[in-house]
Amino acid sequence: MRKLGIGLIGTGFMGKAHAMAWKAAASFSGDVQPVLVSVADINGDAAQRAQQQFGFQRWTNRWQDLIDDPEIDVISITSPNRFHAEQSLAAIAAGKHVHCEKPLAPDSATAERMYRAAEQAGVITQVGFNYVKNPLLKLAKKMIADGDLGEINGFRGIHAEDFLANPAVPWSWRLDPSGGAGAVADLGSHILGMARFLLGPIEELVADLETVIKTRPESPGAATKKAVEVDDIARLTVKFARGCSGHVEANWVASGHKMQLGFEITGSKGSLIFNQERFNELQYFRFSEDESKNGFMTLVAGPEHYPYGLFCPAPGHQLGFNDLKTIEMLELIQAIADGNAAGPDFKEAFEIQKIVDAAVTSSRERSWIKI
Amino acid sequence: MRKLGIGLIGTGFMGKAHAMAWKAAASFSGDVQPVLVSVADINGDAAQRAQQQFGFQRWTNRWQDLIDDPEIDVISITSPNRFHAEQSLAAIAAGKHVHCEKPLAPDSATAERMYRAAEQAGVITQVGFNYVKNPLLKLAKKMIADGDLGEINGFRGIHAEDFLANPAVPWSWRLDPSGGAGAVADLGSHILGMARFLLGPIEELVADLETVIKTRPESPGAATKKAVEVDDIARLTVKFARGCSGHVEANWVASGHKMQLGFEITGSKGSLIFNQERFNELQYFRFSEDESKNGFMTLVAGPEHYPYGLFCPAPGHQLGFNDLKTIEMLELIQAIADGNAAGPDFKEAFEIQKIVDAAVTSSRERSWIKI
Amino acid sequence: MRKLGIGLIGTGFMGKAHAMAWKAAASFSGDVQPVLVSVADINGDAAQRAQQQFGFQRWTNRWQDLIDDPEIDVISITSPNRFHAEQSLAAIAAGKHVHCEKPLAPDSATAERMYRAAEQAGVITQVGFNYVKNPLLKLAKKMIADGDLGEINGFRGIHAEDFLANPAVPWSWRLDPSGGAGAVADLGSHILGMARFLLGPIEELVADLETVIKTRPESPGAATKKAVEVDDIARLTVKFARGCSGHVEANWVASGHKMQLGFEITGSKGSLIFNQERFNELQYFRFSEDESKNGFMTLVAGPEHYPYGLFCPAPGHQLGFNDLKTIEMLELIQAIADGNAAGPDFKEAFEIQKIVDAAVTSSRERSWIKI
Amino acid sequence: MRKLGIGLIGTGFMGKAHAMAWKAAASFSGDVQPVLVSVADINGDAAQRAQQQFGFQRWTNRWQDLIDDPEIDVISITSPNRFHAEQSLAAIAAGKHVHCEKPLAPDSATAERMYRAAEQAGVITQVGFNYVKNPLLKLAKKMIADGDLGEINGFRGIHAEDFLANPAVPWSWRLDPSGGAGAVADLGSHILGMARFLLGPIEELVADLETVIKTRPESPGAATKKAVEVDDIARLTVKFARGCSGHVEANWVASGHKMQLGFEITGSKGSLIFNQERFNELQYFRFSEDESKNGFMTLVAGPEHYPYGLFCPAPGHQLGFNDLKTIEMLELIQAIADGNAAGPDFKEAFEIQKIVDAAVTSSRERSWIKI
C-alpha cells in the first residue's frame, strides 16, 4: 500500500470539506491511501482544533511548513483567493501535487504562469470545479460523444444564485475588483467550465456585464456605502469551436435561486437538461419512431453511472455536494497513481479564465471578442 | 342587444380556431353579441364546408366580398401571412375592425403603414399574440406593477419548439425569406411581445442569428435540396428602457421542446417563472422573514385570476389553448363596445417587429443596435 | 346533414359549459349537427338570458316542455342532483337521448332503474365523467391493453380537493345525506370510474369513511352549527377482477390540492403516472435494456393523441377543462349517429355507484365487502 | 477529549457506509471523538481489507472479539439480518452501546426482548432508520408540532421501489419468510417509522398483503422455481392515536420507482408533501389571505435547517444519502455523551415491528386489528 501525504491549507468551510473528502476517498482508493499529515491555518487555534477534529497528525500556523514537509505529497489549498497563486506556485516549486480551490487566479496571465509552472515541474494539479464530477455529467459527456443527441445545435447555460440579491447585503471580498471580475468569475467559471467539459472550446463571445446594486453598506448594517465595481450579472453569447452557439448567464442577484447551475443542450436527435438543484437527475429527450410515446425522460443517478456505485448500492439514494468533493479527491489520487491528469487542472482553469477575461473586455468594448 | 357581424378569412386550423372562439366568446360577451356572418376561402368547397360546420350564415371564395359586406363589422384574418397586409388595409379602408393573425407584416415599415391606417380610420385592431391573454400573465403583470418583486433586475425569455429540428423536414413557406425573418419573427415575436407586456419597451440589443440546417429537401422526401436563408435560432441580449437587461432566445430546432415559451423575471424582492408548457401555473418567489420556510410557490390558475372564472368555477380545472383565443375575441368585442384598445394591437405588433428587424441588423452587422 | 335538437336543463355553471360544448362540438361533428333548440330553468329570467347568451332558439321555465318538444332529440341535464333521476326517466320515457351530469342517482338502486329504463327504450345515455375523455387517458388505456406495462400489479388512485378543508365553510347541499354519500360519491366516483375505465371491474373492497369536520355553520358566517353526516375522506382498498389491487382515496379537505385526480399504475414491464392538475402530461416508465438511460418519460399531449388534433394542430398547446366537455358531447353525437354507446353511460354510472355504496357499507360494518 | 471506541460488524455495503459515517461524524462531534477500533467479518480477508481501507486499528473474523474488546464502546451492526438479535444482545450484555441496521428482529416479540435488555443495561441504542435524520423532516416535525398545518386530518405514506419488479429476479434472503414479512417489513418499516416520527402512534389498521410474483428462479437464471411466501405489496389503512387516519403502502415491485419513500400530510390550515427521491425539498402549502397568490411552496434544504449547515454553508448544495447516515452516527455520539436517547432506538423499532406484525395478522384474518 502506497501512502499519499496530504497537507491542508485553511480550516474554514472548504477546509473541512477537503478533510472530509480526503478521508472518504480513502475508502475507495485501494492501494494508494491518503494520509492526513498536517493542517495549516494562520490562526493557530483553528489549526489545532482542525487537527483534532479532522484527524491530522500535526498542525501549524505557517502554510510554508507544509511546503517544506517531506511527508506531504499533495497540498490542498482552501485559503482566501488572494493566496492561491503564491501557495500553488510554492507547492509546485517543491514538487508537490496541488488541489486548489477556484478561482485559481484573478486573471488569465497569472493562471497561465501557474499552469506552465506545474507542467514544467511535472506535478498533477486540480482546481475545485467539483460540479463536473457528478456521475450524471460524465454520462452527459459520454452521450454527447456517442452521438445520442445527434449533431449539437445549441447550448443554454446558467449559474444563478441569490446570495447578493438583497441590497442590504454588505460589501465583501467577493466584490473587491482586485480579486478579478464578479459573478462572471465566481459563478460564470462553473458554467463555462461545464460548457467546455461537455462541448469543448469556446472561441468567440459578446458579453454584457452589469452591476445591479451600485453601492452596498461598507459592513453589516453600516450607514456608509461603498461603490460596487464588479458585475452582479453577466450575459454572454458564445460560439463554440465545434460550430454551435449559446447563451450563458452568471448571476448572483437572482432572487429565489439557490443553486441554479444548469444547462440545456439540444441536438438534431435529442436533448439534455440539467440543473444542479436536482443534480441526481438528468432530463433526456430523443426523437422516437412512435411519436405518441415520446418525451423527456428523467434519468435518476444509480450504480450504473460510475462512480455513484461507490457511494450507494441502489439508485434513488442520491449523492450530496460533499460526495462530489470526494470524487474530486479520489480522481486526483488516481491521477497521481497513474500519472494522468485528473482534470479540471490548472491548464483548464487558465482556459476558463481566458473566457472570463474576454467577457469583461467584450462588455467594456461593447463588441464581439475572439478568444 | 347589439350585434357584431363577423367575417372570417381562411378556413384552415386558425380559421376553425377563430370561429370557435367567436362562438365561445358569445357566452361571455353580454349585450354585444358576435354573429358569424360570412366565411371566405379561395377554395370555395372549403368555404362552404366551413359555413356549415362553424355555423356562418354565408360563404364566398372572394375575401373582398367580406370587405364589401355591410353586415360585417369585424374581419378576422387567418389567411397565409403574405395576404395579411393587403387584407388588413382593405378592411381598415372599409372602416371595419380587424383581428389579424401574426405576423402582421414581413417588416416594420409595412407594419407601421398598417397601424397608422388603422389609427386614422379609428378602427379597433388586434394581432393574435394570444399567449399574453393568460389570466396568470395578467396576474404577473399586476404583481410586477404592484412591486411584489421589488425592483426588476433581470429577464430571461425563450420561445423554443422543435418542429424544424429534423433536417429531413422539407423547405416550406416559414423558411421563405420574402416573408421576413425566421425563428426570431415566428417565435421570437411571442416572447418579445410577452417581455414588452410585462416589462415595457426594449431599447437596445445585440443579436446572433443562426441557420442551423443550411439546406432542406425541396419537398417532403425530395432528393433535391433548397438553401435555407432565415434563422433557425436567434439569441438576443436586450436592454429594457426601465433599466434592466436580459437574454431572449427564439429557436425552432430545440429538440424535445413543444411549446417552451417562458420566462424568468427576477427582482430585488422576488421572482416569477413561467412556461407555456404548464400555462395554468406560475412560480412565485418572495423573500420571507422566516428563511427556513421560503421557496418558490406554484400558483395555480383559478377563479380569482380573471377571466379564468368565466371558463371554470374552481381552480385546477385548467384553461386550454383555445380558451386563450376566446379571451382574445372577448376582449376585442369589449374594446369595440367601449372604444378602447384590446391589445396587442397593430401598433404593438409594429413595436415588436422593430425589435425583430433590429435583431436581424445586429446579427448581420455584429454590433449593438439602438431601437 | 342531419340535425340533432338539443334541450338543456339548467343555466348555472354546468349549463353554460354544456351549451358551449355543444356549440364547439358542432365544429367537429361533420354531417350530424347539434342545434340548440331550447333551454329550461325554473327561473324564467335566467332561462331567457341563457337563450340569448348561448344561442338557443327558445326558452322555458318548465323542464317538462323540453321533454314534450318534438324538435329535441337530446336532453342535457345540469339541474341540481336531486332532479337527475326524475328528469332522466322522463326524457327516456319520451324516447330522447340523455346526457346527465353526475351523480346519476343517490344510490345504486335508483341508478339501476335508470339504466334499465334507457336500455329498454333503446336511447343513448351518457353521464358527465368528463375526465376520462382526456386523449392521454385514451392512450393510457390503449397502452395497458397493448401490454406496454406488462402484467398490471398495482393501482393507486386519488381524487382530492380542498374546497371543504376550512371548517368555516358552511353546510351545503353537498353535505346533505339524502343526496347520498359525501366525498366518496362526489369525488370518489371520478377516480373509481377512471380505475374501471383503465383496469376494469372492482369486485371487493374494504373502506374507511371519515367525517373530519363534524359540524359546520348552518349558513355563511352563522353562529349556529349543523352536524355533518357524510364523509369528508374515504379510503378504500380495492381488488380488481383482473387480479391486482389498489388504494383509492376521495377527499375534499385536502388542503392545497385543487384537482388532485390522479393515479399510478404499475406493471411488470412499466408504469404510468397521471395527475389531472397537469392533465396534458402522462408519465410513462418502461424498463429498458440500457439501465443507464432509463426513467420516467413525460408524454405531452399532441395531435398524435386523438382527438387532441381536433383542437390544436401542434403538441404543447394544451387542452382545457371545457375541451374535455366538448369531447364528451362530440362522442355522444357520434354514438347517436352510429347507434353505439358513448360511455360512460347510465349502466357504467350504476356500476360506479355500486362501489360507492359498498364503500359506505364496508365502513359501517368495518369489514371487506364483495360487490 | 473523550474517545469513543467503535467496533464494526460486517464489511459489505452498509459496513462501508457505517465506517465512512463514523469518520465523517468525527468532524462535527467536538469533544467526543469516535475512534475506529476494530472491524469484524466472518471472511477474514474482507475484514483485513476493510481495516486498511476504512482505517480501523485492527480486524477479526470473530464478531465476538468486538464484544470482548474493552476499547470498544459502540457496536455498529451491519451483518445479515438473522444475526441482528444475537449480536445486539451480546453487545448489550457486555454494556456496549449499539447501532443496529434494520430490521432489528423478525418479529415484535424478539424486538421487545432486545429493547428491554437495553433498557435494563442502560445502554444507548439506535436502529438504522436513517431517512428521518433528514433536516427537512426535522423541520416537518416541528411545523406539525407548531401548528403550521392546523389540525392534522390525513396522511398518505408510501415506500415503493422496483428492485423485485422483474419476475426474473431470483429468490433471495429478502424473500425468506423466516426473516419475517416481505415488503411491509423491509420498506414498510421506513414509512411507518416516518409516520410515527411525524404524527405519533398508530393504534388500529386493516391491511392487505399480496405476493405479486408467486415463484422466482431459485438462483440467477435457474430454470427451477421457488415459491415466494412473503408480501411484495402491502396496503394498510391506519388510524393514528391523535385522531386522523391514512393509507400506507409498501411495495418492492413498483416499476420505475427507485426510492419513492414519501408522504402527504394534510391539515386544516396547510399541507406537506415529501418524497425521498428529492429529499432536499419539502413542499409546503398554507392557506393565505390572498387567494390569488397561494399554492405549494418548495422549501429547499439550507443552513437554516439544522444540521444541514454542518455539511454545506449555503442552500441548494444538497445532502446525500451518506450524509443522513453521518447525522445518525453524530446523534448517537451526542446521545452517548448526554445520556439521552438518539432515536429511533430499539424501543421505537419494537413499536414499528408491532405495526408490521399487525398488518400481517390483519391481512390473514381479513379484519381490522387493534395494536
Side-chain angles (χ1 to χ4, degrees):
Chain A
M1 202 182 71
R2 175 175 164 196
K3 302 259 179 200
L4 205 63
I6 309 298
L8 171 66
I9 308 180
T11 64
F13 208 94
M14 285 315 293
K16 181 166 69 171
H18 279 221
M20 293 179 70
W22 285 115
K23 286 196 285 185
S27 301
F28 311 132
S29 63
D31 284 343
V32 186
Q33 282 284 308
V35 175
L36 301 189
V37 176
S38 185
V39 57
D41 197 300
I42 197 164
N43 175 336
D45 288 348
Q48 189 169 11
R49 258 198 318 277
Q51 179 251 319
Q52 282 195 357
Q53 208 73 31
F54 306 156
F56 280 86
Q57 295 171 1
R58 43 190 180 270
W59 64 269
T60 169
N61 64 353
R62 291 183 64 259
W63 61 265
Q64 294 86 348
D65 290 348
L66 306 190
I67 306 296
D68 298 339
D69 192 328
E71 288 182 39
I72 288 177
D73 302 294
V74 184
I75 302 289
S76 214
I77 301 176
T78 71
S79 54
N81 297 346
R82 65 183 181 281
F83 298 116
H84 290 183
E86 180 186 6
Q87 294 169 345
S88 293
L89 287 166
I92 291 166
K96 297 192 191 305
H97 308 293
V98 187
H99 175 101
C100 182
E101 275 306 311
K102 60 163 274 286
L104 189 57
D107 53 66
S108 55
T110 309
E112 184 168 15
R113 201 149 44 89
M114 294 166 75
Y115 101 75
R116 290 200 189 277
E119 273 194 355
Q120 281 187 328
V123 300
I124 305 287
T125 59
Q126 194 178 42
V127 181
F129 292 107
N130 43 283
Y131 300 113
V132 297
K133 296 305 176 186
N134 185 337
L136 289 179
L137 291 195
K138 293 178 194 287
L139 174 67
K141 182 173 183 155
K142 183 177 183 308
M143 290 171 79
I144 292 166
D146 289 353
D148 286 351
L149 310 189
E151 197 161 339
I152 303 304
N153 65 32
F155 178 80
R156 276 182 252 157
I158 188 154
H159 191 158
E161 304 195 11
D162 70 359
F163 58 87
L164 287 170
N166 189 337
V169 174
W171 201 92
S172 72
W173 60 267
R174 282 182 201 271
L175 303 172
D176 185 344
S178 77
V184 71
D186 188 36
L187 303 183
S189 59
H190 280 298
I191 184 60
L192 290 166
M194 210 175 263
R196 281 179 52 88
F197 175 75
L198 296 165
L199 299 181
I202 289 167
E203 58 183 19
E204 196 178 5
L205 61 78
V206 66
D208 185 48
L209 275 58
E210 208 184 338
T211 305
V212 169
I213 299 167
K214 305 284 195 293
T215 65
R216 290 185 182 270
E218 231 169 343
S219 57
T224 52
K225 300 279 189 145
K226 188 160 178 175
V228 176
E229 295 171 45
V230 302
D231 55 294
D232 290 320
I233 306 178
R235 295 185 182 87
L236 288 66
T237 306
V238 302
K239 294 187 170 289
F240 291 87
R242 69 189 297 150
C244 67
S245 301
H247 267 165
V248 174
E249 180 181 332
N251 187 333
W252 58 29
V253 294
S255 298
H257 291 293
K258 306 309 174 190
M259 179 46 79
Q260 189 187 21
L261 168 58
F263 59 78
E264 296 201 23
I265 294 175
T266 50
S268 56
K269 293 185 181 166
S271 297
L272 291 174
I273 304 178
F274 174 78
N275 188 342
Q276 183 69 21
E277 290 175 346
R278 290 177 174 166
F279 77 82
N280 287 276
E281 299 178 11
L282 179 66
Q283 306 288 324
Y284 173 40
F285 173 84
R286 189 177 163 95
F287 287 107
S288 78
E289 301 265 313
D290 181 353
E291 286 194 21
S292 74
K293 296 173 194 163
N294 207 190
F296 275 95
M297 179 185 276
T298 303
L299 310 183
V300 175
E304 58 277 13
H305 309 118
Y306 182 83
Y308 176 99
L310 297 178
F311 295 85
C312 301
H317 285 62
Q318 295 178 42
L319 301 190
F321 172 79
N322 289 312
D323 297 328
L324 301 181
K325 210 72 210 162
T326 297
I327 297 172
E328 239 181 355
M329 299 318 190
L330 176 61
E331 295 189 358
L332 180 54
I333 295 168
Q334 292 168 336
I336 291 169
D338 301 346
N340 296 323
D345 60 9
F346 280 18
K347 172 134 194 341
E348 175 62 16
F350 160 66
E351 297 291 350
I352 293 168
Q353 186 64 46
K354 279 199 296 185
I355 308 174
V356 169
D357 289 2
V360 173
T361 305
S362 169
S363 182
R364 195 178 54 231
E365 302 187 350
R366 296 179 60 68
S367 67
W368 284 86
I369 297 283
K370 294 261 185 215
I371 295 159
Chain B
M1 201 182 73
R2 176 176 162 194
K3 302 260 179 198
L4 205 63
I6 309 298
L8 171 66
I9 307 180
T11 63
F13 209 93
M14 285 314 293
K16 181 165 69 173
H18 278 221
M20 292 178 71
W22 285 115
K23 285 197 285 184
S27 301
F28 311 132
S29 63
D31 284 343
V32 185
Q33 284 285 307
V35 176
L36 302 189
V37 176
S38 185
V39 56
D41 197 299
I42 197 166
N43 176 335
D45 288 348
Q48 188 170 13
R49 258 198 318 276
Q51 179 251 320
Q52 282 195 356
Q53 208 73 30
F54 306 157
F56 281 86
Q57 295 171 0
R58 43 188 180 270
W59 63 271
T60 169
N61 64 354
R62 293 183 65 255
W63 61 265
Q64 293 86 349
D65 291 347
L66 305 190
I67 307 296
D68 299 338
D69 192 327
E71 287 183 37
I72 289 176
D73 302 294
V74 184
I75 301 289
S76 215
I77 302 177
T78 71
S79 53
N81 298 346
R82 66 184 181 281
F83 298 115
H84 289 182
E86 180 187 6
Q87 292 169 345
S88 293
L89 287 167
I92 290 167
K96 297 190 192 306
H97 308 292
V98 185
H99 175 101
C100 182
E101 276 306 312
K102 59 164 275 285
L104 188 58
D107 53 64
S108 55
T110 309
E112 183 168 14
R113 201 150 45 89
M114 292 166 76
Y115 101 76
R116 290 199 189 277
E119 273 194 355
Q120 281 187 324
V123 299
I124 304 288
T125 59
Q126 195 178 42
V127 181
F129 292 108
N130 44 283
Y131 300 113
V132 297
K133 296 305 175 186
N134 185 337
L136 288 179
L137 291 195
K138 293 177 194 287
L139 174 67
K141 182 173 185 155
K142 182 175 183 311
M143 290 171 78
I144 291 166
D146 288 353
D148 286 352
L149 310 189
E151 198 161 339
I152 303 304
N153 65 32
F155 178 81
R156 277 182 251 157
I158 188 156
H159 190 157
E161 304 194 11
D162 72 357
F163 57 88
L164 287 170
N166 188 336
V169 173
W171 200 92
S172 71
W173 58 267
R174 282 182 200 270
L175 303 172
D176 185 345
S178 77
V184 70
D186 189 36
L187 303 183
S189 59
H190 280 299
I191 183 60
L192 290 165
M194 210 174 264
R196 281 179 52 87
F197 175 74
L198 295 165
L199 298 181
I202 289 168
E203 58 183 21
E204 197 177 3
L205 61 78
V206 65
D208 186 47
L209 275 58
E210 209 183 337
T211 304
V212 170
I213 299 167
K214 303 286 195 292
T215 64
R216 291 185 181 270
E218 231 168 344
S219 56
T224 52
K225 300 279 189 144
K226 189 159 177 176
V228 176
E229 295 172 45
V230 301
D231 54 295
D232 289 322
I233 306 178
R235 295 185 182 87
L236 288 67
T237 306
V238 301
K239 293 187 170 289
F240 290 87
R242 69 188 296 147
C244 67
S245 301
H247 266 164
V248 174
E249 179 180 333
N251 187 333
W252 58 28
V253 294
S255 298
H257 292 293
K258 304 309 173 190
M259 178 49 77
Q260 190 187 21
L261 169 57
F263 60 78
E264 295 201 25
I265 294 175
T266 49
S268 57
K269 293 186 180 165
S271 297
L272 291 174
I273 303 177
F274 174 79
N275 188 341
Q276 183 70 21
E277 290 175 347
R278 289 176 174 168
F279 76 82
N280 287 276
E281 299 178 11
L282 180 66
Q283 306 288 326
Y284 173 40
F285 172 84
R286 189 176 162 95
F287 287 107
S288 78
E289 302 264 314
D290 181 353
E291 285 195 22
S292 75
K293 296 174 194 163
N294 208 190
F296 275 95
M297 179 184 277
T298 303
L299 310 183
V300 175
E304 58 276 13
H305 308 116
Y306 183 82
Y308 175 98
L310 297 178
F311 295 86
C312 301
H317 283 63
Q318 295 177 43
L319 301 189
F321 172 79
N322 288 312
D323 297 326
L324 301 180
K325 211 71 209 162
T326 298
I327 297 173
E328 237 181 356
M329 298 321 189
L330 176 61
E331 294 188 357
L332 180 54
I333 294 169
Q334 292 168 337
I336 291 170
D338 301 346
N340 297 323
D345 61 9
F346 280 19
K347 174 135 193 340
E348 175 62 17
F350 161 66
E351 296 291 349
I352 294 169
Q353 186 64 44
K354 279 200 296 185
I355 308 174
V356 169
D357 288 2
V360 173
T361 304
S362 169
S363 182
R364 195 179 52 230
E365 302 187 353
R366 297 181 59 70
S367 68
W368 284 86
I369 296 283
K370 294 260 186 215
I371 294 160
Chain C
M1 201 182 73
R2 176 176 163 197
K3 301 259 177 198
L4 205 64
I6 309 298
L8 171 66
I9 307 180
T11 63
F13 208 93
M14 285 314 293
K16 181 166 71 173
H18 278 222
M20 292 177 72
W22 285 115
K23 286 196 284 185
S27 302
F28 311 132
S29 64
D31 285 343
V32 185
Q33 283 284 307
V35 175
L36 301 189
V37 175
S38 186
V39 56
D41 197 299
I42 198 167
N43 175 334
D45 287 349
Q48 188 170 12
R49 258 198 317 277
Q51 179 251 319
Q52 281 195 359
Q53 207 73 30
F54 307 156
F56 281 86
Q57 294 172 0
R58 44 189 179 268
W59 63 270
T60 169
N61 65 353
R62 293 182 65 256
W63 62 265
Q64 293 85 348
D65 291 347
L66 307 189
I67 307 297
D68 298 338
D69 191 328
E71 287 183 37
I72 289 177
D73 302 294
V74 184
I75 301 289
S76 215
I77 301 177
T78 71
S79 54
N81 298 347
R82 65 184 182 281
F83 298 115
H84 290 182
E86 179 186 7
Q87 292 168 346
S88 293
L89 288 166
I92 291 166
K96 297 193 191 304
H97 308 293
V98 185
H99 175 100
C100 183
E101 276 306 312
K102 61 164 272 286
L104 189 58
D107 54 64
S108 56
T110 309
E112 184 168 15
R113 200 149 45 89
M114 293 166 76
Y115 101 73
R116 290 200 189 277
E119 273 194 355
Q120 282 188 324
V123 299
I124 305 288
T125 59
Q126 194 179 42
V127 181
F129 291 108
N130 44 282
Y131 299 113
V132 297
K133 296 305 176 186
N134 186 337
L136 289 179
L137 291 195
K138 294 178 194 287
L139 174 68
K141 182 173 183 154
K142 182 176 183 309
M143 290 171 78
I144 292 166
D146 288 353
D148 286 351
L149 311 189
E151 199 162 338
I152 304 304
N153 65 32
F155 178 81
R156 276 181 252 156
I158 188 155
H159 191 159
E161 305 195 10
D162 71 359
F163 58 88
L164 288 170
N166 189 337
V169 173
W171 201 91
S172 71
W173 59 268
R174 282 182 201 271
L175 303 172
D176 185 346
S178 76
V184 71
D186 188 36
L187 303 183
S189 59
H190 279 299
I191 183 60
L192 290 166
M194 210 174 264
R196 281 177 52 86
F197 175 74
L198 295 166
L199 299 181
I202 288 168
E203 59 183 18
E204 197 177 3
L205 61 79
V206 65
D208 185 47
L209 275 56
E210 207 183 340
T211 305
V212 169
I213 298 166
K214 304 286 194 292
T215 63
R216 289 185 182 269
E218 230 168 343
S219 56
T224 53
K225 299 280 188 142
K226 189 160 178 174
V228 176
E229 294 171 45
V230 302
D231 55 294
D232 288 323
I233 307 178
R235 295 186 182 86
L236 287 66
T237 307
V238 302
K239 293 187 172 287
F240 290 87
R242 70 188 297 149
C244 66
S245 301
H247 267 164
V248 174
E249 179 180 331
N251 187 333
W252 57 28
V253 295
S255 298
H257 291 294
K258 305 309 175 190
M259 178 49 77
Q260 191 187 19
L261 167 58
F263 59 79
E264 295 201 24
I265 295 175
T266 50
S268 56
K269 292 186 182 165
S271 297
L272 291 175
I273 303 178
F274 174 78
N275 188 342
Q276 183 69 21
E277 290 176 344
R278 289 176 174 168
F279 77 81
N280 287 277
E281 299 178 11
L282 179 67
Q283 305 288 326
Y284 172 41
F285 173 84
R286 189 178 163 93
F287 287 107
S288 78
E289 301 265 313
D290 181 354
E291 286 194 23
S292 75
K293 296 174 195 163
N294 208 190
F296 275 96
M297 180 185 276
T298 302
L299 310 183
V300 175
E304 57 276 13
H305 308 117
Y306 182 84
Y308 176 99
L310 296 179
F311 295 85
C312 302
H317 284 62
Q318 296 179 41
L319 300 190
F321 172 79
N322 288 312
D323 297 328
L324 301 181
K325 211 70 210 162
T326 298
I327 298 173
E328 239 182 354
M329 298 319 189
L330 176 62
E331 294 188 358
L332 181 54
I333 294 168
Q334 292 168 338
I336 291 169
D338 300 347
N340 296 322
D345 62 8
F346 279 20
K347 173 131 192 344
E348 176 61 17
F350 160 67
E351 296 291 350
I352 294 168
Q353 186 63 45
K354 279 199 296 184
I355 308 174
V356 168
D357 288 3
V360 173
T361 305
S362 169
S363 181
R364 195 178 52 230
E365 302 187 353
R366 296 180 60 70
S367 68
W368 285 86
I369 296 283
K370 294 259 185 217
I371 295 160
Chain D
M1 201 182 72
R2 177 176 163 196
K3 300 258 179 201
L4 204 64
I6 309 297
L8 171 66
I9 309 180
T11 64
F13 209 93
M14 284 314 293
K16 181 167 68 173
H18 278 222
M20 292 178 71
W22 285 116
K23 286 196 284 185
S27 301
F28 311 131
S29 63
D31 284 343
V32 185
Q33 282 285 306
V35 176
L36 301 189
V37 176
S38 185
V39 57
D41 197 300
I42 198 166
N43 176 337
D45 288 348
Q48 189 170 12
R49 256 199 318 276
Q51 179 251 319
Q52 281 195 358
Q53 207 74 32
F54 306 156
F56 281 86
Q57 295 172 1
R58 42 189 179 269
W59 63 271
T60 169
N61 64 354
R62 293 183 64 257
W63 62 264
Q64 294 86 347
D65 291 347
L66 306 189
I67 307 296
D68 299 337
D69 192 326
E71 287 182 38
I72 288 178
D73 303 294
V74 184
I75 301 289
S76 215
I77 302 177
T78 71
S79 55
N81 298 346
R82 65 183 181 282
F83 298 115
H84 289 182
E86 179 187 7
Q87 293 168 346
S88 293
L89 287 166
I92 290 166
K96 297 193 191 304
H97 308 292
V98 186
H99 175 100
C100 182
E101 276 306 312
K102 60 163 273 285
L104 189 58
D107 53 64
S108 55
T110 309
E112 184 168 16
R113 200 150 44 89
M114 293 166 75
Y115 101 75
R116 291 199 189 276
E119 273 193 355
Q120 281 188 326
V123 299
I124 304 287
T125 58
Q126 194 178 42
V127 182
F129 291 108
N130 44 283
Y131 300 114
V132 296
K133 296 304 176 187
N134 185 338
L136 289 180
L137 291 195
K138 294 178 194 286
L139 174 67
K141 182 173 184 154
K142 182 176 184 310
M143 290 171 78
I144 292 166
D146 288 353
D148 286 351
L149 310 189
E151 198 162 337
I152 304 303
N153 65 32
F155 179 80
R156 276 180 252 157
I158 188 154
H159 191 159
E161 303 194 11
D162 71 358
F163 58 88
L164 287 170
N166 189 337
V169 173
W171 200 92
S172 71
W173 59 268
R174 282 183 200 270
L175 303 173
D176 185 346
S178 77
V184 71
D186 188 35
L187 304 183
S189 60
H190 280 299
I191 183 61
L192 289 166
M194 210 174 263
R196 281 179 51 86
F197 175 74
L198 295 166
L199 299 182
I202 289 167
E203 58 183 19
E204 196 177 3
L205 62 77
V206 65
D208 186 48
L209 275 57
E210 208 183 340
T211 306
V212 169
I213 298 166
K214 304 285 196 291
T215 65
R216 290 186 181 270
E218 232 169 341
S219 57
T224 53
K225 300 279 189 144
K226 189 160 177 173
V228 176
E229 293 172 46
V230 302
D231 55 294
D232 289 321
I233 306 178
R235 294 185 183 89
L236 287 67
T237 307
V238 302
K239 292 186 171 289
F240 291 87
R242 70 189 296 149
C244 66
S245 301
H247 267 163
V248 174
E249 179 179 332
N251 187 333
W252 58 28
V253 294
S255 299
H257 291 294
K258 305 309 174 190
M259 179 46 79
Q260 190 188 20
L261 168 57
F263 60 79
E264 296 200 24
I265 294 175
T266 50
S268 57
K269 292 185 181 164
S271 296
L272 291 174
I273 303 178
F274 174 78
N275 189 341
Q276 183 70 22
E277 289 175 346
R278 289 177 174 167
F279 78 81
N280 287 276
E281 299 178 11
L282 179 66
Q283 306 288 325
Y284 172 40
F285 172 84
R286 189 177 162 94
F287 286 107
S288 78
E289 301 264 313
D290 181 353
E291 286 193 22
S292 75
K293 296 174 194 163
N294 208 190
F296 275 96
M297 179 185 276
T298 303
L299 311 183
V300 175
E304 57 276 13
H305 308 117
Y306 183 82
Y308 175 98
L310 297 179
F311 296 85
C312 300
H317 284 62
Q318 295 179 41
L319 301 190
F321 172 80
N322 289 312
D323 298 326
L324 301 181
K325 211 71 209 161
T326 297
I327 297 173
E328 239 180 355
M329 299 319 191
L330 175 61
E331 294 188 358
L332 180 54
I333 294 168
Q334 292 169 337
I336 290 169
D338 301 345
N340 297 321
D345 61 8
F346 280 18
K347 172 135 195 338
E348 175 62 15
F350 161 65
E351 296 291 350
I352 294 169
Q353 186 63 45
K354 280 200 295 184
I355 309 174
V356 169
D357 288 2
V360 173
T361 305
S362 169
S363 182
R364 196 179 51 232
E365 301 187 353
R366 295 179 61 69
S367 67
W368 285 86
I369 297 283
K370 294 259 185 217
I371 294 160

